Amino acid sequence: MRAFRRSGNFSRLLTATSTPHSRSVSTATASTPKALTSVLIANRGEIALRVGRTASEYGIKTTTLYTDPDAKSQHALSSPYALNLGDPSAYLDGGRIIKIAKQQGCEGIHPGYGFLSENPVFARECTEAGLIFIGPPWEAIEAMGSKSKSKEIMTAAGVPCIPGYHGENQDPEYLKDQAAKIGYPVLLKAVKGGGGKGMRIVNNPEEFFDQLNSAKSEARNSFGDEVMLVEKYITTPRHIEVQVFADKHGNCVALGERDCSIQRRHQKILEESPAPNLNEEVRQDLWEKARAAALAVNYEGAGTVEFIFDNDTGEFFFMEMNTRLQVEHPVTEMVTGEDLVRWQLIVAEGGRLPLTQKEIEERMATKGHAIEARIYAENPDMNFMPDSGKLLHLRTPKSTESVRIDAGFIAGDEVSSHYDPMIAKLIVSGPTREAAIQKLRAALEEYEVAGPITNIEFIKRMCVSPDFISGAVETGYIEKHRPELFPNEPLSPEVFAQAALGLFIESASKSPFNPFSGAVTASAGFGPSYQAREFNLINIPADGKEGESLSVKVQQVSPQQYDVTINDHTYRSISASLSPSTATLTSFYPHTRLSTTFIRDEDRLTLFQQGRQYRLRMVMPKWAEKALGVKDVTHSVLAPMPCKVLRVEVSEGGAVKEGQPLVVIESMKMETVIRSPKDGVVERVVHGVGDICKAGTPLVEFKEEET
Ligand code: ADP
Ligand code: ADP
Ligand code: MG
């Protein structure tokens, strides 16, 4: 990637400390570019590291913030100046953060994305405190912060908007009338919403009020505001957005577009640039409208204008403007060869945009295609439910010119349930879209994460999905391609064989008492030191439903050789060794060599083999279960993830039907309804409203109905 020239006119013109002034940055610094020397990064995780990287590259001193659960996180450790805010939610405490910035002698604050980045009050207070807010003027954030107000401004500026009701009347009956006028299906959206939250599709008048209440409740919890808008729901839409940049001198450019149509829960998973199968005229029109949108609110800095593109009609409509740098900005960096954080700093310093529209287009003509995959701790097979926990093992693909990893974690770190479960972003580029997808798949096959469940296996399947490869993307892609994206393949016997070999060798080297290791069985015919062990293993299907357990017998036949029997088949004389430093089990079978990363966490095994992850569980033999007095938990409904109980929908002694809601939990700002797996009677409500539960904690115990 090309490094920036540091324009001569910023260099050391002014001293580091600024005198407090209450004028907005836009007027104060338009004619006097001033080099920033110290910045406070008001964010966490990969974005905090990302901003810090560019700032350090240009000699800017950075101060980072952290909270109690983040004390040892990578972003907190990345700067010698790191301040503890304490409470997990304190990243939202703008007043305190401004005070810290002043005390630390910082000249500017970079808000990253999420948290305070689109908070106009915070941006204004920064400016009034004499700090440079590295983002647009607060007036522009305010204008775009409301999904309804922004649509009025856009309509006035000649930018097409989706038909809908964006007004103040919030009477449910009135909103329902508006929905009827627009025509079903409609989409309800929290006017203050973001991150896909506070949004519900309504297919018919019958479900209108239910969906309205549910959208409002989520909006209240996430944004403290429940004002809703109703708009036409586009049934086969693409999400196409334009990266814009404006400076304080009236220049405004579009740095190409990104297609972010591959989404779950209205949140992006894959983002790419350029958008596939897009007519060149439409592309130019999108850029033009995006610039018009930015200019209409006197924009400065990095922003994204999001459009919804109707695949049925070829029309596009303004959806919203995100007045910040976005999660997916690296895609644009890959196809332009520019550092957008650097551009943000230049604009904040009062400098001019480094490239003209024409230069950007010339640049993009040579850079090919880029794709970003968001790596999340979540379970795609369980409706992409967030997961958390310690990263027991982490191996990332090699970074190169065309493979970039923006991560906030290293092995051993904890993915906290307090925050967004994004672990990393993997960004690749290639001369063509096909080449980029190919590279993404190859990189994902090298990506190993054990601990929390991730979406890596799912994204690998996306990479080979024929319609995705052909560029036929739309926001409903995942739903429409369910059978191929969520296949139910049986595991090959070699996976079980490798698991059992790993366990055998591991327990032989450590030999602690381990009830899972199975009974030492007879070893007749071999020397006394050659043991045989039997392991009961079960595939952990991602959808939580358990399969059959399989028994695997390992018989050692010489110091490094084993016979492995699964069902009735025996693999003879496998030579196998386990390297503790790399956790790699290398086995030579009669027919093949297998190299497997073997990670054990108590009764859970994670294996990486031939580019795929496998998760297995050891089942305790019955004798050990009895000996240890293990309690039967089959009649408890367990918390599927760390969570807080929001509502309890049943009472003790009450009858429940299969599928009936039992409790509603909240995890990572998302509500999940826990339903009864069977017909029965509630025996005990174990946890009440407000309780914080670990994954696996019983929530409700019930007695199955006798039939
Ligand atoms: P993008 O459009 O860049 O994908 P998202 O809408 O997914 O951005 O949000 C980016 C990040 O900001 C995510 O981590 C998300 O959880 C967080 N976020 C989005 N909106 C809000 C909000 N209103 N309050 C707090 N965090 C938010
Ligand atoms: P957020 O602030 O949460 O990002 P957006 O308004 O940007 O909310 O919408 C998020 C996603 O929801 C879009 O990317 C798109 O997939 C879907 N969406 C939004 N509006 C519509 C609509 N009118 N019809 C169909 N899908 C929509
Ligand atoms: Mg959006």
Side-chain angles (χ1 to χ4, degrees), residues 118 147 151 162-163 186-187 189-190 192-199 201 223 231-241 260-261 263 265-268 306-308 317 319-322 324 326 474-476:
E118 295 186 281
K147 288 185 203 267
K151 281 176 181 145
I162 311 182
V186 297
L187 188 66
K189 263 190 208 181
K192 291 270 174 67
K197 296 183 191 101
M199 206 153 36
I201 302 165
F223 323 110
E231 65 188 25
K232 177 87 202 141
Y233 182 68
I234 314 277
T235 41
T236 47
R238 281 173 71 173
H239 174 118
I240 303 179
E241 59 184 34
C260 313
S261 299
Q263 305 183 338
R265 284 194 262 107
H266 302 299
Q267 279 185 296
K268 304 155 184 172
E306 298 189 330
F307 295 96
I308 190 155
F317 306 100
M319 202 156 38
E320 65 165 344
M321 180 168 185
N322 292 327
R324 54 172 158 89
Q326 295 213 193
E474 55 163 302
T475 61

Side-chain angles (χ1 to χ4, degrees), residues 292-371:
L295 289 169
V297 289
N298 299 317
Y299 204 75
E300 287 169 18
T304 297
V305 185
E306 298 189 330
F307 295 96
I308 190 155
F309 179 86
D310 189 338
N311 252 351
D312 295 331
T313 63
E315 292 172 292
F316 64 82
F317 306 100
F318 170 83
M319 202 156 38
E320 65 165 344
M321 180 168 185
N322 292 327
T323 51
R324 54 172 158 89
L325 196 68
Q326 295 213 193
V327 173
E328 58 273 26
H329 75 276
V331 161
T332 301
E333 298 190 318
M334 282 278 205
V335 293
T336 56
E338 293 295 313
D339 175 338
L340 298 191
V341 173
R342 180 63 191 138
W343 280 46
Q344 287 189 299
L345 296 172
I346 290 172
V347 170
E349 288 171 341
R352 287 175 190 279
L353 294 182
L355 296 177
T356 64
Q357 188 68 51
K358 189 159 162 284
E359 286 167 332
I360 291 165
E361 285 172 46
E362 284 164 5
R363 193 63 81 71
M364 291 196 321
T366 66
K367 290 274 176 188
H369 200 95
I371 310 183

Side-chain angles (χ1 to χ4, degrees), residues 77-96:
L77 299 172
S78 69
S79 165
Y81 310 93
L83 288 113
N84 187 5
L85 297 171
D87 188 76
S89 66
Y91 290 117
L92 293 164
D93 189 347
R96 222 170 120 210

Side-chain angles (χ1 to χ4, degrees), residues 649-662:
E649 307 278 14
V650 290
S651 47
E652 290 179 5
V656 287
K657 290 267 161 235
E658 180 182 333
Q660 182 179 330
L662 298 173

